[in-house]
Amino acid sequence: MREVVDSLVRAHERREPVEPFAGGTAEDAYRIQLELVRRWVEAGDVVRGHKVGLASAAMQRQMGVDQPDYGHLTASMFHLEHQPIPAGLFLQPRIEPEVAFVLGAPLRGPGVTVADAVRAVDFVLPALEIVDSRIRDWRISLFDTIADNASSGGVLLGSRPTALADVDLRLTGCTLHVNGTLAATGAGGAVLGSPVNALVWLANTVGPLGVTLEPGHVVLPGSMTRAFPVGPGDTVVATMAGLGSVTAVFAAEEDACC
């Protein structure tokens, strides 16, 4: 386990991908992920939320897996919309549109119901997640992506909060434009039938591990569409019915930094 953690730490620090790992159980991979996050926190980062990955059939097909996973969101992963993001922060980034839950009360499983989850949500925001893999060429197994913090890279949040009672997330439509061209459309129902179901799944999955979803934390429940590659100079806009929009701007090559 230590060798895998060390290689992932180096991959993050040097921005150099590693070869796929030999594999193991999902439980082994989550232990590696927790140690990776522990090292980040020890170095000064802070956990600000969690993400559910591979929650839609489209993403599972794209990544060649058959179940969701989860990862941690740390403070260093959050970027401001419309502000240039240095492309050098990532190795092989892709972007996807999501609804972000912001919690107003703690959630801890097992036994969390949809009613519990709805009660705990303070508001929702449109979001873009930058997924990235430290595994060369995205040749990932479920073990690889879990160990690599669910292929997390970055998060952008829109700035218009909406009460959960004011929107039906199952029916919320989404358009994703990359450099002004429509790249994909989707809906909240693509995420385990409803993004709320993903929040319930997450609380009940991490609860037995001693993890509570804390007030103020951001939870990303999964993508409404497949993920799209992005690079220097790209602009991506996700627009969600009833929620507004969120824009990611990647710095041009000459402005990119490490």
Side-chain angles (χ1 to χ4, degrees), residues 6 18 48 56 69 81 97 129 131 153 175 190 236:
D6 288 344
V18 297
R48 293 297 190 194
S56 70
D69 66 354
E81 68 166 336
E129 183 187 2
V131 292
T175 59
V236 182

Side-chain angles (χ1 to χ4, degrees), residues 121-254:
V121 174
D122 192 4
F123 55 87
V124 294
L125 296 167
L128 284 165
E129 183 187 2
I130 303 166
V131 292
D132 196 13
S133 181
R134 273 52 60 174
I135 311 301
R136 191 179 304 279
D137 300 324
W138 279 96
R139 290 183 286 119
I140 59 172
S141 65
L142 187 64
F143 179 91
D144 293 319
T145 186
I146 290 174
D148 189 24
N149 194 33
S151 303
S152 299
V155 184
L156 296 100
L157 301 176
S159 56
R160 193 187 88 178
T162 300
L164 193 54
D166 292 340
V167 62
D168 186 342
L169 294 183
R170 299 170 303 167
L171 304 179
T172 297
C174 169
T175 59
L176 186 71
H177 286 81
V178 179
N179 298 325
T181 299
L182 180 64
T185 61
V191 182
L192 295 183
S194 168
V196 176
N197 291 342
L199 178 58
V200 172
W201 177 88
L202 177 65
N204 287 329
T205 300
V206 301
L209 304 176
V211 177
T212 298
L213 306 183
E214 302 286 354
H217 276 191
V218 173
V219 175
L220 299 180
S223 180
M224 297 176 172
T225 71
R226 69 181 183 90
F228 290 84
V230 286
D234 285 343
T235 297
V236 182
V237 181
T239 304
M240 300 176 194
L243 298 180
S245 65
V246 56
T247 301
V249 178
F250 292 87
E253 191 75 62
E254 59 270 19

Side-chain angles (χ1 to χ4, degrees), residues 4-15 21 29-51 70-78 89-91 129-135 144-155:
V4 176
V5 175
D6 288 344
S7 67
L8 286 171
V9 169
R10 286 194 299 270
H12 278 269
E13 291 176 346
R14 300 174 183 176
R15 307 287 189 259
F21 300 114
Y30 280 121
R31 280 194 288 270
I32 291 167
Q33 180 188 130
L34 288 171
E35 175 60 18
L36 183 64
V37 173
R38 188 195 67 79
R39 293 200 194 180
W40 291 340
V41 171
E42 191 176 67
D45 215 339
V46 181
V47 174
R48 293 297 190 194
H50 288 79
K51 59 161 283 186
Y70 72 85
H72 294 69
L73 303 177
T74 65
S76 64
M77 295 178 186
F78 285 79
L89 292 175
F90 312 105
L91 278 78
E129 183 187 2
I130 303 166
V131 292
D132 196 13
S133 181
R134 273 52 60 174
I135 311 301
D144 293 319
T145 186
I146 290 174
D148 189 24
N149 194 33
S151 303
S152 299
V155 184

